[in-house]
Amino acid sequence: MENEVVSRNFIEQIIDNDIEDGHCKKVITRFPPEPNGYLHIGHAKSILLNYGLSQKYHGQFNLRFDDTNPTKEKEEFVESIKSDVEWLGAKWHGDVLFASSYFTQMYEAAVKLIKKGKAYVCDLTPEQIREYRGTLTQPGKESPYRNRSVEENLELFENMKNGVYEDGAKVLRAKIDMASPNINMRDPIIYRVAHITHHRTGDTWCIYPMYDFAHPIEDAIEGVSHSICTLEFEDHRPLYDWVVKELEYENPPKQIEFAKLYLNNVVTGKRYIKKLVEDGIVDGWDDPRLVSIAALRRRGFTPESIKMFVDLVGVTKSQGAVEYPMLEYCIREDLKQKASRMMAVLDPVKLIIDNYPEGQVEYMEVPNNQENPELGTRKVPFTKELYIEREDFMEEPPKKYFRLFPGNEVRLMNAYFVTCVDYKKDANGNITEIHCTYDPQTKGGNFAGRKVKGTIHWVSVSEGVNVEARLYENIVDEEKGVYDEETGEINLNPNSLKVVKNCYVEPALAKANAQDKFQFVRNGYFCADVKDSIEGKPVFNRIVSLKSSFKLPV
């Protein structure tokens, strides 16, 4: 369309300017996670933003692991992150990359800084370094080792590499400005001694670069044009720029910061999730009550719903928090046209049609999704004895209750009109059976001869399948907030998981494969669990209820 106005976020505007003035020939972005845990919903924003930019500008997207801290890194986390990025639909260029592949270049870069008089080996203890650094209002003071000769620094740094010193005995520091108003520029540590086996390089190295030194080098080696990161790195940008400038890289990458994605009342901190896992409160990093990408995937969220959520949140410089119902809105919107609407009874009570033929099995033609005729229809068995939801019958109903009660007629969805004629109770007063009669002339449930206000769903007793369903709430007690101020522990919601045994579903659901998604009529959207489902016996996780408290802003 001519004269169409294209809205650009602030990052796209920067990239547009860089292309226009010739500073950027090819847009190359990257997602650079540290493999020390599972990714969460906030990482999804970064993945989709970086990948989306590479696609928009016909550029390149790299997946690179910042594996410079072997104390916390595992191959398990590498594999889980690759799986998450792939699931979100972000296709990385070529092979997966690793910071550890560049350890030799990083070492050579450090030597180059020493030779330029821009780095020195320091013997101060970690406590002394903190003390010398100063405060936000007071400048730091120079290390007594700051003016060592280039030759001495080269020898000491080589000794560090060769394992001569114990952990913490010496560090290599950049020589910048101890009076800088930015504390990150007060001679930051760029290498430390750590006699730790690395998950990829083994025991080849006993010194490891610090993130703030390694990251700009990795970006520069890979030709990254725009290093997109979150706002907490804004104060680190001067150091990023200093590193690429002093190392004299051609076409150095440009760091741009955007606001992180925060969800209210959720747990994203790795140490807190680790404790939940270790204490057995959740059954792993992919427990459906968490907001790790693996957990959202297991619960039944789709990549499309995550992308819709990220798009709604937008890309800004302003930090804020988003309510969880927005994420739930997105999965409802994505599934309402995709998911078949199946009948499942979670709290069953038996309904007997007294005048229906004994032993007869009749198959009703049922649309899979009334809003999407392209999903077709299916045959659902109907018999004399059915299960309905216990809440769909009341002995003494209030006004405007249109479901079953003595003498009332309702529609059995896609089947017949039935009228309640009797019911039975056990010794505790619980309803055990509801007796009805049916009108054979009303088959299909759309009979126009008389007005019926109530419609209820059902499952055949003899043909239905017994399954387990899991109903989730927030793992956090939302009234108290995420963390207890006194103990620092998570305020847990004791009702975050309800396991419902003896649910009955129509027989087609017995064939559900892991990750298959359905709408259970009136009960919400459900997904066959990937861990605990077995062939012919699926376990269903409720992804989200049908009702939403979130409204899109006008």
Side-chain angles (χ1 to χ4, degrees), residues 348-397:
V349 63
K350 190 177 286 188
L351 181 149
I352 301 170
I353 305 173
D354 293 337
N355 62 333
Y356 192 83
E358 197 79 43
Q360 178 171 303
V361 180
E362 193 173 3
Y363 287 87
M364 300 297 176
E365 188 88 13
V366 178
N368 285 324
N369 187 322
Q370 289 178 320
E371 291 186 39
N372 185 0
E374 291 183 5
L375 292 184
T377 62
R378 66 188 185 281
K379 301 281 190 181
V380 181
F382 183 89
T383 53
K384 182 182 183 73
E385 294 189 357
L386 308 170
Y387 288 117
I388 65 169
E389 294 285 359
R390 188 168 293 276
E391 66 176 20
D392 285 345
F393 174 81
M394 293 187 75
E395 296 174 77
E396 299 177 8

Side-chain angles (χ1 to χ4, degrees), residues 259-501:
K260 247 184 181 179
L261 171 54
Y262 285 106
L263 271 179
N264 280 333
N265 289 320
V266 300
V267 182
T268 55
K270 288 173 185 171
R271 69 184 179 95
Y272 290 102
I273 295 176
K274 186 169 182 280
K275 189 172 189 308
L276 290 174
V277 172
E278 290 174 348
D279 291 350
I281 294 167
V282 298
D283 74 346
W285 288 78
D286 63 350
D287 186 290
R289 290 167 288 178
L290 300 174
V291 292
S292 66
I293 296 175
L296 292 169
R297 181 179 181 179
R298 181 180 171 193
R299 180 146 171 183
F301 281 80
T302 60
E304 294 82 3
S305 67
I306 304 295
K307 185 176 187 307
M308 186 190 306
F309 176 63
V310 167
D311 288 344
L312 280 177
V313 171
V315 180
T316 69
K317 275 275 192 183
S318 304
Q319 195 62 69
V322 181
E323 298 297 330
Y324 191 83
M326 182 191 283
L327 181 59
E328 294 181 320
Y329 165 85
C330 293
I331 187 62
R332 288 190 192 95
E333 284 296 298
D334 186 50
L335 291 181
K336 71 180 181 182
Q337 295 285 328
K338 293 179 179 177
S340 293
R341 297 179 181 179
M342 314 292 281
M343 290 191 284
V345 177
L346 305 191
D347 186 13
V349 63
K350 190 177 286 188
L351 181 149
I352 301 170
I353 305 173
D354 293 337
N355 62 333
Y356 192 83
E358 197 79 43
Q360 178 171 303
V361 180
E362 193 173 3
Y363 287 87
M364 300 297 176
E365 188 88 13
V366 178
N368 285 324
N369 187 322
Q370 289 178 320
E371 291 186 39
N372 185 0
E374 291 183 5
L375 292 184
T377 62
R378 66 188 185 281
K379 301 281 190 181
V380 181
F382 183 89
T383 53
K384 182 182 183 73
E385 294 189 357
L386 308 170
Y387 288 117
I388 65 169
E389 294 285 359
R390 188 168 293 276
E391 66 176 20
D392 285 345
F393 174 81
M394 293 187 75
E395 296 174 77
E396 299 177 8
K399 287 183 179 180
K400 295 189 177 180
Y401 181 85
F402 300 122
R403 284 169 261 173
L404 267 180
F405 55 88
N408 192 44
E409 186 174 53
V410 301
R411 177 188 293 105
L412 294 179
M413 186 176 290
N414 300 296
Y416 294 103
F417 289 6
V418 295
T419 302
C420 178
V421 295
D422 197 8
Y423 58 91
K424 293 182 180 178
K425 294 182 177 183
D426 63 17
N428 297 319
N430 298 312
I431 302 294
T432 57
E433 289 180 3
I434 302 159
H435 287 261
C436 292
T437 58
Y438 87 115
D439 182 349
Q441 301 300 315
T442 59
K443 185 173 181 178
N446 296 315
F447 181 69
R450 57 184 177 271
K451 193 173 183 180
V452 172
K453 290 185 176 179
T455 300
I456 63 176
H457 63 284
W458 48 271
V459 171
S460 164
V461 170
S462 61
E463 308 302 309
V465 177
N466 185 310
V467 300
E468 176 183 307
R470 296 168 181 173
L471 310 182
Y472 297 103
E473 293 182 9
N474 194 341
I475 199 166
V476 169
D477 186 329
E478 294 185 15
E479 291 186 4
K480 296 180 181 177
V482 180
Y483 305 113
D484 185 291
E485 291 183 4
E486 292 183 5
T487 66
E489 299 290 318
I490 298 169
N491 289 316
L492 292 171
N493 172 11
N495 302 312
S496 63
L497 170 61
K498 181 182 179 183
V499 177
V500 185
K501 306 280 189 179

